[in-house]
């Protein structure tokens, strides 16, 4: 049954990846990017961070004696040690915090603090999960179609295609946040489109190698960029090499999997907040005295959170989405799209920005569109080459136009 499920996911992910490649490499995202402005970027980027609030404190509270110290420690090390003027604390705050609280959780587990606690508490707090490390192989190299030939089911494929569209939206918000924290110029639409296209290539490889899900830009890493203030491309390249190396060491992955989930939840509270604040930072380009600006920002943020909460609660109570027609694939598409706060937020903000008082003379300046106009083309600003050129002269083969 597990292999049948994985083969169905392989087929759905591989097909859905073509949506991202088509939208990216054929320039549809570039068209969207040309109409994007600071006003519509506010809910997109903000909800990319705030949309994951369910993975923050609610999961931290599953083992508050571990999660809360982790949250307090990472905030203290990263923020309150700045006066020492030692950059090591700001750059390695997460590593220090995780190591200290992980050891603390190991001590609690070894001392028998969770022996008579409920099962859910033990699952969240204990570090010695049954057979986790002993069952993991020392070396396991993934290979294409390791679960067998992929199966193709229309319902699964359409649902995964909707997820691929959501990944495009949320990854776009992450790209914008990363460029902001990397002190780069606003991303040219062609670079956004190129990034989405390569996201599709990565998702296709996920399907070929039997991954559980497709790829998306890491919201946590964008927040980490804001915390460490390190925007070097070489750091990302080295990190990727280390991930590829350690991914084949099964014992190492099992060892990291023994970290209690509330510790990760504490990091989410910290890192997702950075991404949300990056979105709010774009308000500086907008006219906040304009009632049009206030309405679009407030309404899109509210609807982005409210609509998705309705869909989540309806599914939790009724075990099905609010849209339940005879076409299961259509139901799945609607459920996936409207369960993403960033997707709902950008749909509302984008449409309102393009239609409300569009012909008014002050609309362009109120939306901050004039700040981004000179970055619409890759070659307009000389700094684009520095920030967004591909390494190793790959721009000759994959130009940004």
């Amino acid at each position: 049954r597990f292999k049948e499920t994985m083969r169905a996911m392989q087929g759905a992910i591989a097909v859905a990846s073509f949506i991202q490649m088509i939208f990216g490499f054929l320039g549809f995202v570039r068209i969207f990017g040309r109409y994007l402005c600071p006003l519509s970027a506010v809910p997109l980027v903000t909800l990319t961070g705030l949309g994951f609030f369910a993975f923050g404190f609610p999961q931290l509270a599953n083992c508050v004696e571990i999660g809360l110290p982790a949250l307090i420690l990472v905030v203290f090390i990263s923020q309150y040690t700045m006066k020492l003027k030692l950059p090591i604390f700001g750059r390695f705050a997460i590593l220090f915090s995780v190591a200290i609280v992980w050891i603390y959780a190991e001590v609690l587990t070894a001392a028998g603090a969770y022996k008579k606690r409920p099962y859910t508490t033990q699952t969240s707090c204990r570090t010695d999960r049954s057979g986790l490390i002993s069952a993991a192989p020392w070396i396991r190299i993934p290979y294409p179609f390791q679960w067998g030939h992929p199966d193709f089911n229309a319902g699964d494929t359409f649902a995964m295609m909707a997820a691929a569209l959501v990944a495009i939206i949320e990854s776009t918000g992450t790209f914008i946040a990363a460029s902001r924290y990397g002190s780069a110029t606003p991303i040219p639409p062609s670079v956004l489109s190129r990034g989405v296209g390569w996201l599709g290539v990565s998702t296709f490889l996920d399907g070929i190698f039997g991954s559980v899900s497709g790829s998306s830009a890491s919201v946590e890493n964008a927040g980490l960029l804001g915390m460490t203030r390190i925007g070097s491309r070489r750091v990302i390249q080295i990190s990727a090499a280390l991930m590829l190396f350690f991914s084949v060491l099964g014992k190492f992955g099992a060892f990291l999997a023994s970290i209690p989930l509330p510790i990760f939840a504490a990091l989410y509270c910290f890192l997702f907040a950075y991404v949300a604040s990056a979105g709010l930072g774009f308000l500086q380009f907008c006219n906040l005295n304009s009632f049009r600006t206030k309405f679009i920002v407030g309404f899109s943020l509210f609807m982005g959170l409210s609509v998705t909460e309705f869909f989540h609660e309806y599914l939790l109570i009724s075990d099905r989405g609010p849209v339940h027609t005879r076409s299961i694939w259509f139901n799945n598409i609607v459920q996936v799209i409207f369960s993403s706060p960033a997707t709902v937020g950008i749909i509302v903000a984008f449409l309102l920005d393009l239609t409300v008082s569009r012909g008014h003379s002050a609309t362009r300046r109120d939306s901050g569109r004039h700040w981004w106009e000179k970055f619409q083309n890759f070659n307009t600003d000389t700094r684009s080459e520095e920030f967004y050129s591909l390494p190793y002269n790959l721009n000759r083969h994959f130009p940004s136009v």
Side-chain angles (χ1 to χ4, degrees):
R1 181 178 179 180
F2 170 78
K3 290 186 176 181
E4 289 178 357
T5 302
M6 293 304 299
R7 287 198 293 266
M9 293 184 67
Q10 278 185 171
I13 292 173
V15 173
S17 67
F18 288 97
I19 293 292
Q20 295 175 330
M21 286 188 276
I22 290 173
F23 272 70
F25 290 136
L26 295 186
F28 292 104
V29 176
R30 182 169 63 242
I31 297 173
F32 164 77
R34 286 176 177 169
Y35 289 96
L36 195 66
C37 67
L39 178 59
S40 52
V42 171
L44 170 60
V45 181
T46 302
L47 291 174
T48 299
L50 291 183
F52 293 100
F53 68 91
F55 298 100
F57 202 86
Q59 289 195 5
L60 180 152
N62 290 334
C63 188
V64 69
E65 63 267 31
I66 291 177
L68 192 58
L71 179 60
I72 294 174
L73 198 59
V74 71
V75 171
F76 176 80
I77 294 177
S78 64
Q79 304 300 318
Y80 289 92
T81 59
M82 288 184 177
K83 61 182 179 181
L84 300 177
K85 296 182 179 180
L86 294 175
I88 188 174
F89 289 108
R91 293 176 180 175
F92 297 97
I94 287 183
L95 290 179
F96 292 155
S97 303
V98 170
I100 293 172
V101 180
W102 193 6
I103 294 173
Y104 168 62
E106 184 68 37
V107 171
L108 290 179
T109 302
Y114 304 112
K115 284 185 177 180
K116 298 182 179 180
R117 301 289 292 276
Y119 174 76
T120 54
T121 302
Q122 294 194 41
T123 302
S124 299
C125 300
R126 297 184 70 99
T127 58
D128 58 345
R129 298 172 193 170
S130 177
L132 186 63
I133 297 179
S134 60
W138 280 102
I139 297 178
R140 189 180 190 281
I141 301 177
Y143 54 91
F145 306 115
Q146 56 185 317
W147 310 116
H149 293 292
D151 295 332
F152 299 97
N153 178 275
D156 295 337
T157 301
F158 280 115
M160 198 61 70
M161 290 169 67
L165 290 174
V166 170
I168 290 175
I169 298 297
E170 296 182 350
S171 295
T172 299
T174 306
F175 293 156
I176 296 174
S179 69
R180 188 69 179 159
Y181 282 130
S183 299
T185 57
I187 303 180
S190 60
V191 175
L192 275 179
S193 198
R194 183 186 67 190
V196 170
W198 282 105
L199 184 69
V201 174
S202 178
T203 301
F204 180 76
L205 292 176
D206 291 332
I208 295 299
F209 282 87
S211 175
V212 178
S213 64
S215 293
S216 180
S218 174
V219 182
E220 301 93 314
N221 281 348
L224 187 64
L225 181 62
M227 187 195 76
T228 60
R229 300 173 179 83
I230 297 177
S232 171
R233 183 178 292 168
R234 186 58 53 85
V235 172
I236 304 301
Q237 294 169 347
I238 295 175
S239 300
L242 290 175
M243 291 172 67
L244 289 172
F245 174 74
F246 285 115
S247 65
V248 302
L249 303 179
K251 297 292 185 184
F252 180 79
F255 178 67
L256 291 181
S258 67
I259 302 176
L261 293 179
I263 296 180
F264 289 110
L267 302 182
Y268 293 157
C269 292
F270 188 81
L271 298 176
F272 292 157
Y274 262 109
V275 176
S277 63
L280 295 175
F282 288 110
L283 288 173
Q284 64 181 304
F285 301 108
C286 307
N287 179 15
L288 294 180
N289 292 318
S290 167
F291 283 92
R292 174 184 181 273
T293 299
K294 293 176 181 178
F295 168 71
I296 293 177
V297 170
F299 186 68
S300 58
L301 288 175
F302 183 86
M303 294 302 291
L305 294 174
S306 185
V307 171
T308 54
E309 184 66 18
F310 166 71
F311 273 78
H312 285 309
E313 288 185 0
Y314 199 104
L315 181 63
L316 184 64
I317 296 173
S318 305
D319 199 27
R320 65 180 184 181
V323 178
H324 38 271
T325 65
R326 294 183 178 179
S327 301
I328 299 178
W329 61 269
F330 179 76
N331 302 341
N332 292 337
I333 289 177
V334 174
Q335 183 67 31
V336 170
I337 291 178
F338 288 95
S339 295
S340 168
T343 304
V344 175
I346 187 59
I347 290 175
V348 174
F350 196 72
L351 291 178
L352 290 177
D353 183 51
L354 292 180
T355 56
V356 176
S357 302
R358 182 65 180 172
H360 198 277
S361 58
T363 297
R364 178 174 293 271
R365 298 190 66 85
D366 289 346
S367 299
R369 195 176 300 277
H370 61 289
W371 289 101
W372 284 10
E373 280 183 339
K374 61 181 180 180
F375 303 104
Q376 290 295 310
N377 296 314
F378 184 85
N379 297 322
T380 303
D381 194 281
T382 57
R383 293 169 293 178
S384 297
E385 189 76 21
E386 174 188 355
F387 293 127
Y388 300 115
S389 289
L390 294 174
Y392 308 116
N393 257 347
L394 290 177
N395 265 22
R396 293 181 303 174
H397 307 288
F398 305 101
S400 296
V401 295

